Amino acid sequence: MPMPSSLLRQLSGYGLTTAHILYRLPDHPALLQTFVWQEYDLAPEFPELTGFLDFWRREIDGPLHSVRVAHQRLIGPAECRIATEFALH
C-alpha cells in the first residue's frame, strides 16, 4: 500500500502552512474580504504559497492587502524527557 503523499511530504521536510489573506473587493475597494489558504510547504522559501499568490495576482480581480503566514512542521525529532529515575544496585 503506497504512503499518503502528505506523509511523504512531511518526511521530506514540509510543514503545514496556513496563510490568512486579506484582499480588497473589486467593486468596493474600501472593504476587505478574508481568505484562508492551507497546504504543506517548505519554510522559509514557501514555494507552494508563492505559486498560489502569483496565481492570485495574475487571475483574481481582488487586489491583495496583506498576507499573514503560520508554519508548523508536524513531524520532527522525537523528544525524550525523563520523569523519574530508578537506582539499581
Side-chain angles (χ1 to χ4, degrees), residues 17-69:
T17 302
T18 304
H20 180 247
I21 299 167
L22 287 178
Y23 64 97
R24 298 192 183 278
L25 295 176
D27 296 337
H28 303 282
L31 297 177
L32 293 175
Q33 182 72 25
T34 187
F35 181 83
V36 176
W37 176 91
Q38 195 169 57
E39 185 62 62
Y40 290 103
D41 210 348
L42 283 170
E45 295 85 15
F46 299 110
E48 302 289 331
L49 177 58
T50 301
F52 176 74
L53 293 175
D54 289 343
F55 165 80
W56 184 294
R57 288 185 194 103
R58 212 176 40 249
E59 303 293 332
I60 298 178
D61 290 334
L64 295 172
H65 175 271
S66 61
V67 178
R68 285 187 298 163
V69 178

